[in-house]
Amino acid sequence: DIQLTQSPSFLSASVGDRVTITCRASQGISSYLAWYQQKPGKAPKLLIYAASTLESGVPSRFSGSGSGTKFTLTISSLQPEDFATYYCQQLNSYPPTFGPGTKVEIK
Amino acid sequence: QVQLQESGPGLVKPSETLSLTCAVSGSSISSGYYWGWIRQPPGKGLECIGTIYHSGSTYYNPSLKSRVTMSVDTSKNQFSLKLSSVTAADTAVYYCARHFDYGGTDDAFDLWGQGTTVTVSS
């Protein structure tokens, strides 16, 4: 299986901050990468697929970049509703695997 | 709008079989998507169990393959998961989800059910 690591695992930030989360794959996955947001007690929500394509309805403050083995999710100006856990997922090879998550909390 | 809803027992005894169903509303299950199951143990990350196409083609996570069976019922617009010989390690929130694969790198799980908690305990 392809392993994904995320950094940081925990992030404390303030409303209005620019936040960047990194996801690294154990081998090249082209742009077969998605990002999800999960709030406590809720299902994950798709934010970005194909590494940089914003899912319909997702605010433009979210953006993704990268290819190969290194990817980033950026929130340009953190909003109160963005405090959540973020997961990356690779879909280059089966089984699709998820990163361990990055929890974004209020400073 | 398209909605997915999981159903099934919340408590399963060790060594027995976990059975869940995901009802799809607002769209035909034969509409060209894959349909999947993902689980999340308490306080932990996400694990893809498997996916199924409306034709019945399945893809299972090798780590669970010997215990997993997925099926689809197009007449009821739903798909199902069976996980046999469960242990406490199978205690988790189980999500069903729609998996799109438009070719190339346009590939992700875009719609999720709310999740159902399954506890394995005697």
Side-chain angles (χ1 to χ4, degrees):
Chain A
D1 296 4
I2 294 176
Q3 308 300 317
L4 298 177
T5 58
Q6 289 182 233
S7 59
S9 55
F10 176 85
L11 188 160
S12 181
S14 301
V15 172
D17 284 352
R18 181 181 181 88
V19 166
T20 299
I21 299 169
T22 298
C23 176
R24 285 187 166 86
S26 59
Q27 62 190 73
I29 59 170
S30 182
S31 297
Y32 286 90
L33 190 100
W35 288 97
Y36 300 84
Q37 175 194 68
Q38 186 178 36
K39 296 182 179 179
K42 300 295 187 182
K45 173 187 174 184
L46 176 65
L47 299 175
I48 286 169
Y49 62 92
S52 61
T53 301
L54 198 66
E55 171 70 345
S56 177
V58 174
S60 59
R61 63 180 179 272
F62 291 92
S63 63
S65 64
S67 66
T69 61
K70 184 180 176 183
F71 303 86
T72 59
L73 172 70
T74 299
I75 309 172
S76 60
S77 177
L78 200 64
Q79 297 302 300
E81 60 268 31
D82 301 337
F83 292 95
T85 299
Y86 294 84
Y87 295 93
C88 57
Q89 181 198 31
Q90 69 80 22
L91 300 107
N92 180 75
S93 62
Y94 212 86
T97 48
F98 293 87
T102 295
K103 188 173 184 179
V104 178
E105 290 198 344
I106 302 173
K107 183 181 282 185
Chain B
Q1 73 276 24
V2 182
Q3 292 185 317
L4 286 71
Q5 179 67 59
E6 306 90 347
S7 62
L11 181 64
V12 181
K13 289 182 168 57
S15 79
E16 295 190 345
T17 296
L18 177 161
S19 296
L20 296 174
T21 295
C22 181
V24 179
S25 60
S27 173
S28 169
I29 201 167
S30 302
S31 57
Y33 294 95
Y34 293 85
W35 305 91
W37 290 96
I38 301 98
R39 69 180 183 178
Q40 185 171 35
K44 296 188 177 180
L46 299 157
E47 179 182 36
C48 184
I49 300 170
T51 56
I52 187 167
Y53 197 57
H54 65 82
S55 63
S57 298
T58 54
Y59 303 86
Y60 298 149
N61 189 323
S63 69
L64 298 167
K65 187 175 183 178
S66 64
R67 299 194 292 129
V68 171
T69 303
M70 294 177 63
S71 60
V72 63
D73 186 337
T74 54
S75 67
K76 294 183 178 179
N77 219 41
Q78 63 186 34
F79 61 104
S80 300
L81 168 71
K82 291 187 187 298
L83 182 66
S84 64
S85 304
V86 297
T87 70
D90 296 308
T91 293
V93 176
Y94 286 76
Y95 295 100
C96 60
R98 186 175 76 174
H99 177 189
F100 71 84
D101 182 354
Y102 298 147
T105 57
D106 289 355
D107 190 350
F109 291 81
D110 65 335
L111 289 175
W112 296 61
Q114 64 185 23
T116 188
T117 299
V118 178
T119 302
V120 179
S121 175
S122 55

